[in-house]
Amino acid sequence: MSSLFFSSSRRPLSVALRRFSLCRFSSIVTYATEEEKSRFIHPSSVVHPNAILGEGVSIGSFCTIGPFAKLGRACQLYPGSHIFGNTELGDNCILMTGAVIGDDLPGHTVVGRNNVFGHHAVIGIKCQDMKYKFGNECFLEIGDNNEIREHVSIHRSSTPSDKTVIGDNNLIMGSCHIAHDCKVGNNNILANSTLLAGHVVVEDYAHTAGGIVVHQFCRIGSYSFIGGGSVVSQDVPKYIIVSGERAELRGLNLEGLRRHGFSAVEIKSLRAAYRKIFIPTDTSSGNIEDRLSQVEQHEDLGLFPAVSSMVQSIRDSFAENRRGICKFRSWSGS
């Protein structure tokens, strides 16, 4: 018989077999790349052999990674998190326990770098729009440095010609919902249970309090603030606070403007412009378009880019395909 099983020292067969297995395992490890050595995949997880995993990826127990997934360097999947469909994660993304990204649908979900997805967040799945036709491509793109907390849902687009987009540096708190075809810019804070219907646009540096609802096709302007429990059914212009069961304009977001570096002179000019537009003292000041024009042509106010930006934000909301702006109250103190 072969000396593989019976050595000269007459070792038992079981010992010889163990030595043979160790030799085989050692030869496999020797030929593994350094990149493969740097990864950790828990043996209970299911990772399709066609999935592409970057250097330093860590996959905890009971995870699933589909055949078309691409994970960048140093991504971390906590136990019970899953990646499906044509989904790409940039470097240093984290999926907490129960998080799901992607769906086995035509189209893709593309995620940038340094994003955190909280416990049981569901990202990049089929939309809840009746217009969606099964088999159509649908898309979601997320930028860099976003913190997307527990139980958040973000849906893909409803048509191949559109996409849902989340920018950079956003904080999306627990239980928020961002529906199909929404466009969320950069540096926004969406507090718990903020619900955005389809096609909503949120510009930059906007802030919502908790439990708010935004009607489809509305636009939330930069540096605006929406009070807790509000129902927003029309546009929120730049720099302005709205609140209420049917949200109404309540003045300028003064604290937000200060925090983001607007000068005292800029804020003073915005307050003066707001009063001329929404709290006119002259009964002959005309309709809102007349008052917007008066502010633009004012010898002092017209020189400030922030004022011009606010005026344009208001005017754009009255375009034919837009919903107008939230109602305003004449007693506002801004």
Side-chain angles (χ1 to χ4, degrees):
M1 272 210 184
S2 169
S3 60
L4 174 63
F5 300 108
F6 291 98
S7 66
S8 59
S9 58
R10 301 290 184 180
R11 289 185 177 88
L13 176 60
S14 60
V15 174
L17 285 171
R18 282 199 299 271
R19 291 188 63 190
F20 176 62
S21 298
L22 288 170
C23 289
R24 291 183 64 198
F25 178 75
S26 298
S27 65
I28 293 171
V29 172
T30 300
Y31 289 103
T33 66
E34 290 300 319
E35 185 174 304
E36 289 169 336
K37 288 180 184 179
S38 69
R39 303 187 193 114
F40 171 79
I41 302 175
H42 194 278
S44 66
S45 289
V46 179
V47 179
H48 196 280
N50 291 342
I52 299 174
L53 307 181
E55 182 179 353
V57 166
S58 176
I59 301 172
S61 58
F62 302 105
C63 296
T64 308
I65 298 181
F68 305 109
K70 298 178 183 179
L71 277 65
R73 294 191 301 270
C75 287
Q76 299 179 54
L77 274 67
Y78 279 72
S81 54
H82 309 280
I83 300 176
F84 300 116
N86 185 7
T87 298
E88 181 176 343
L89 266 62
D91 298 343
N92 301 300
C93 287
I94 298 173
L95 276 66
M96 303 303 293
T97 295
V100 177
I101 299 184
D103 203 347
D104 291 319
L105 296 168
H108 64 236
T109 298
V110 177
V111 177
R113 299 173 297 169
N114 305 315
N115 294 288
V116 178
F117 299 92
H119 299 78
H120 302 281
V122 180
I123 310 298
I125 65 168
K126 183 170 77 75
C127 68
Q128 298 174 148
D129 188 349
M130 298 299 291
K131 296 192 300 294
Y132 175 75
K133 296 180 180 179
F134 185 77
N136 278 356
E137 289 188 319
C138 47
F139 305 99
L140 167 65
E141 296 181 3
I142 297 176
D144 302 332
N145 308 310
N146 296 288
E147 184 173 0
I148 299 172
R149 295 297 300 267
E150 60 277 5
H151 300 284
V152 168
S153 57
I154 304 176
H155 291 175
R156 289 204 219 172
S157 61
S158 61
T159 65
S161 60
D162 208 340
K163 57 188 176 182
T164 306
V165 178
I166 311 295
D168 302 331
N169 305 304
N170 296 290
L171 171 57
I172 303 174
M173 298 187 194
S175 301
C176 289
H177 173 65
I178 299 176
H180 58 90
D181 308 295
C182 284
K183 307 292 187 292
V184 177
N186 305 318
N187 302 290
N188 297 292
I189 299 175
L190 306 184
N192 301 74
S193 300
T194 290
L195 309 179
L196 305 184
H199 302 277
V200 166
V201 176
V202 181
E203 295 180 358
D204 301 326
Y205 295 99
H207 190 169
T208 72
I212 71 113
V213 179
V214 182
H215 192 282
Q216 59 261 37
F217 293 100
C218 286
R219 190 177 191 97
I220 310 302
S222 297
Y223 302 99
S224 62
F225 182 88
I226 302 176
S230 298
V231 176
V232 179
S233 56
Q234 293 177 287
D235 290 359
V236 179
K238 288 183 177 180
Y239 314 126
I240 287 175
I241 291 177
V242 302
S243 67
E245 187 274 330
R246 279 292 182 267
E248 298 178 331
L249 274 61
R250 308 288 180 151
L252 290 175
N253 181 17
L254 296 175
E255 186 58 34
L257 295 174
R258 293 188 190 103
R259 288 179 180 179
H260 289 103
F262 284 74
S263 69
V265 175
E266 286 177 305
I267 292 172
K268 183 179 179 180
S269 68
L270 284 168
R271 293 184 73 169
Y274 181 93
R275 289 192 177 108
K276 284 183 176 294
I277 296 167
F278 297 115
I279 320 172
T281 56
D282 184 358
T283 56
S284 62
S285 58
N287 60 29
I288 191 166
E289 179 56 42
D290 295 331
R291 298 195 294 273
L292 291 172
S293 297
Q294 290 169 19
V295 169
E296 282 183 315
Q297 297 164 13
H298 193 277
E299 58 181 355
D300 295 324
L301 299 179
L303 301 177
F304 288 93
V307 171
S308 299
S309 183
M310 182 175 72
V311 167
Q312 191 61 51
S313 174
I314 296 167
R315 181 174 281 129
D316 289 345
S317 293
F318 291 103
E320 185 176 354
N321 61 339
R322 298 280 289 274
R323 295 185 57 82
I325 63 172
C326 293
K327 301 294 186 292
F328 50 91
R329 290 193 174 189
S330 60
W331 50 260
S332 174
S334 288

